[in-house]
Amino acid sequence: MDLIRGQYQQWIIQHELGKGYSGEALLVKNDNDSREGVVKRPKQRDIQVEKVRQAIQIEREGKILSAIKNISFQGSEFQVRAIKLLDQSLPGSEQSAEYFIVQEKASGYSLIELASINKHGLNAISERNNLSDQDYLALSGIAKNNSFFHLIVLRALYGILKFLEIIHKTRFSDGGNTFFGIIWSDIKP
């Protein structure tokens, strides 16, 4: 069992979710209350200069999450908000291979999962026996109706664009620097 210690809690690594240019993402569980989160950290097998570059990028992402934590957009039938920064590595690990952040795990289904349900029906999801009545009704509608799925995609895009518009008009401060707008490189609806 692999553990990582953050500033506030200890996290148990469950499995890798993905990796890329910005580092790796791992599903983790809090060892106190079993709350899930996503760790972002430099890829452990990269060369040192890449680990430092990734750590700087991940640290910046953590600062951005802190800056936008209270920003949201409320649509008529949905809300868009930033995920929460839950924890980060101990002080002194900045700009190193040991640096990480733990962010809230987004709830719900990805657009890829919803597209698969739309194409293949409810058999496309493995946990179909554990669905709440509300999820079952919504996912059944997606499985039977292409226009319902298209409406969800359009609402997701609209919500993301409105959320980005709000962020770009908001003033942020990082230490002594004040700035407007944030360019985000990793948007997942």
Side-chain angles (χ1 to χ4, degrees), residues 30-169:
N30 175 307
D31 75 346
N32 290 333
D33 60 12
S34 296
R35 177 174 47 169
E36 289 187 324
V38 175
V39 163
K40 289 193 174 180
R41 69 180 186 185
K43 288 187 281 191
Q44 301 302 295
R45 297 187 182 183
D46 263 350
I47 60 174
Q48 189 61 28
V49 69
E50 278 299 300
K51 289 178 186 178
V52 170
R53 182 195 56 74
Q54 292 167 10
I56 291 168
Q57 188 171 345
I58 293 165
E59 182 179 1
R60 189 174 302 131
E61 184 174 338
K63 288 179 181 178
I64 290 169
L65 288 175
S66 291
I68 66 174
K69 67 183 174 192
N70 295 321
I71 297 175
S72 66
F73 169 71
Q74 183 70 47
S76 60
E77 297 177 12
F78 62 92
Q79 179 183 22
V80 179
R81 66 168 180 79
I83 55 174
K84 295 178 180 133
L85 179 65
L86 301 176
D87 205 350
Q88 57 192 28
S89 57
L90 298 170
S93 62
E94 296 84 357
Q95 300 184 13
S96 76
E98 287 74 43
Y99 188 78
F100 66 86
I101 61 173
V102 182
Q103 62 191 36
E104 174 184 28
K105 182 179 180 248
S107 62
Y109 297 91
S110 72
L111 290 178
I112 292 171
E113 290 170 314
L114 295 177
S116 182
I117 291 167
N118 183 244
K119 185 174 183 177
H120 304 291
L122 288 178
N123 291 332
I125 55 172
S126 59
E127 72 275 358
R128 65 185 168 278
N129 294 331
N130 300 327
L131 293 174
S132 69
D133 290 343
Q134 184 178 6
D135 281 353
Y136 181 82
L137 283 173
L139 294 176
S140 293
I142 291 168
K144 296 174 186 171
N145 187 340
N146 278 339
S147 58
F148 187 55
F149 173 68
H150 295 152
L151 180 62
I152 289 171
V153 172
L154 289 173
R155 284 188 177 170
L157 290 172
Y158 175 75
I160 290 167
L161 291 172
K162 292 302 282 184
F163 185 69
L164 288 172
E165 179 183 357
I166 293 166
I167 289 172
H168 284 288
K169 291 179 180 177

